[in-house]
């Protein structure tokens, strides 16, 4: 059974343009030591072809790919 729906860590369905909140501090590789803190609101996400990943822009990093297991719908 293929499940083509992108879901957050709580099982809520995500769509293009949604806002999500990080549930864990994340170090961004290749960005010069930027750490995204837990609770950061990420607005206007974009879905990728992979149901386990979303794409977003945050203050210092553009085109960031986040795993859906680290976000919850805001």
């Amino acid at each position: 059974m293929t499940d083509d729906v992108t879901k957050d860590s709580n099982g809520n369905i995500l769509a293009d343009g949604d806002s999500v909140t990080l549930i864990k501090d994340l170090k961004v590789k290749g960005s010069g030591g930027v750490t995204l803190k837990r609770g950061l609101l990420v607005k206007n996400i974009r879905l990728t072809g992979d149901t386990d990943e979303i794409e977003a822009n945050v203050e210092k990093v553009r085109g960031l790919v986040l795993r859906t297991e680290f976000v919850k719908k805001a």
Side-chain angles (χ1 to χ4, degrees):
M1 180 174 146
T2 59
D3 190 9
D4 293 341
V5 178
T6 302
K7 295 183 180 180
D8 69 359
S9 61
N10 294 332
N12 297 319
I13 297 173
L14 297 173
D16 279 332
D18 281 349
S19 295
V20 295
T21 305
L22 296 182
I23 61 170
K24 179 182 177 184
D25 287 355
L26 300 174
K27 292 182 182 176
V28 181
K29 293 182 181 178
S31 65
V34 173
T35 300
L36 303 176
K37 298 293 183 182
R38 187 185 69 176
L40 176 71
L41 180 66
V42 179
K43 297 179 182 177
N44 200 17
I45 64 167
R46 292 176 303 283
L47 301 181
T48 62
D50 188 347
T51 58
D52 293 330
E53 296 177 343
I54 57 172
E55 191 175 336
N57 290 333
V58 292
E59 64 269 354
K60 297 175 185 168
V61 184
R62 299 288 173 229
L64 178 68
V65 175
L66 294 169
R67 304 261 320 154
T68 55
E69 63 195 83
F70 299 124
V71 299
K72 68 177 180 179
K73 194 169 183 175

